[in-house]
Amino acid sequence: DERVFCVHGGIPRPLPDKTKDPLNLLRDPNFPIFTELWPHDEDDTTIRDQRQVASDMVWGDPAPEEQEPELDEHGFGPNLQRDPTGRLPTFGNKAIDAFLARHGFDFIIRAHEIKGDGLQINKHARVITVFSSSGYCGSDNGSAIVYINEGKLRFVLCALTANRKR
């Protein structure tokens, strides 16, 4: 309903050229298909920017509350839990505020992280993580879905024990 931004991982970091909107890169009909998202030394500026946006949207995670004070001036920081090299980002409240305001969204719905009940609502109820695969890789996690209709978000949770009884 145009109030919700849906993405696999996270929101994109600002580009080095602050006049460019990362989401506008995605609207380009010639946006490349990448076989890997890490930047290459030989990449030109446009390809480097496209890789960064794609990587952030695939691999980004919300910053844990204890990381908030350490985030940069845009509200981003390294995701050292997932990537010790620090190439993958986390995004905090400042980044979320700016992204939602700039694009007119109210919520970010994402996947990418296993959640015990299949669902986690955090960052002042603006980021919703939905994991739709219960029993993922032998885990005991539940699953969830989000249904958006007539301006309302509806959550359906499925506990793993309910799946095993079938």
Side-chain angles (χ1 to χ4, degrees):
D1 73 357
E2 301 199 21
R3 293 179 37 226
V4 179
F5 179 71
C6 296
V7 65
H8 175 78
I11 56 178
R13 290 172 282 181
L15 298 170
D17 178 350
K18 303 293 184 241
T19 64
K20 288 185 181 177
D21 179 351
L23 291 189
N24 281 340
L25 288 178
L26 297 173
R27 293 181 180 100
D28 180 351
N30 298 315
F31 193 93
I33 296 171
F34 293 115
T35 56
E36 70 177 54
L37 299 177
W38 304 122
H40 297 196
D41 290 339
E42 66 273 6
D43 287 347
D44 65 29
T45 302
T46 300
I47 294 293
R48 191 172 314 119
D49 290 349
Q50 290 168 327
R51 283 187 199 274
Q52 176 184 312
V53 169
S55 178
D56 291 355
M57 292 175 69
V58 170
W59 295 112
D61 292 324
E65 289 306 314
E66 61 272 10
Q67 189 186 14
E68 286 283 343
E70 302 165 11
L71 301 177
D72 68 19
E73 69 274 13
H74 302 288
F76 291 88
N79 189 342
L80 299 175
Q81 288 180 303
R82 193 176 295 276
D83 174 28
T85 69
R87 294 185 292 184
L88 300 178
T90 58
F91 54 95
N93 289 315
K94 187 174 186 178
I96 294 164
D97 290 342
F99 182 83
L100 295 176
R102 181 175 190 168
H103 298 288
F105 296 122
D106 294 329
F107 304 101
I108 299 165
I109 297 180
R110 61 182 296 276
H112 183 55
E113 290 183 285
I114 190 170
K115 298 298 170 190
D117 294 328
L119 180 79
Q120 182 179 44
I121 300 171
N122 64 354
K123 299 298 183 185
H124 307 286
R126 297 169 302 156
V127 177
I128 302 162
T129 300
V130 180
F131 200 79
S132 61
S133 179
S134 57
Y136 184 71
C137 293
S139 176
D140 62 355
N141 68 291
S143 59
I145 62 165
V146 177
Y147 177 68
I148 304 170
N149 189 26
E150 297 175 4
K152 295 182 181 172
L153 300 174
R154 295 183 173 104
F155 305 103
V156 178
L157 304 178
C158 183
L160 180 63
T161 54
N163 287 339
R164 288 194 174 156
K165 290 180 183 176
R166 293 183 186 171

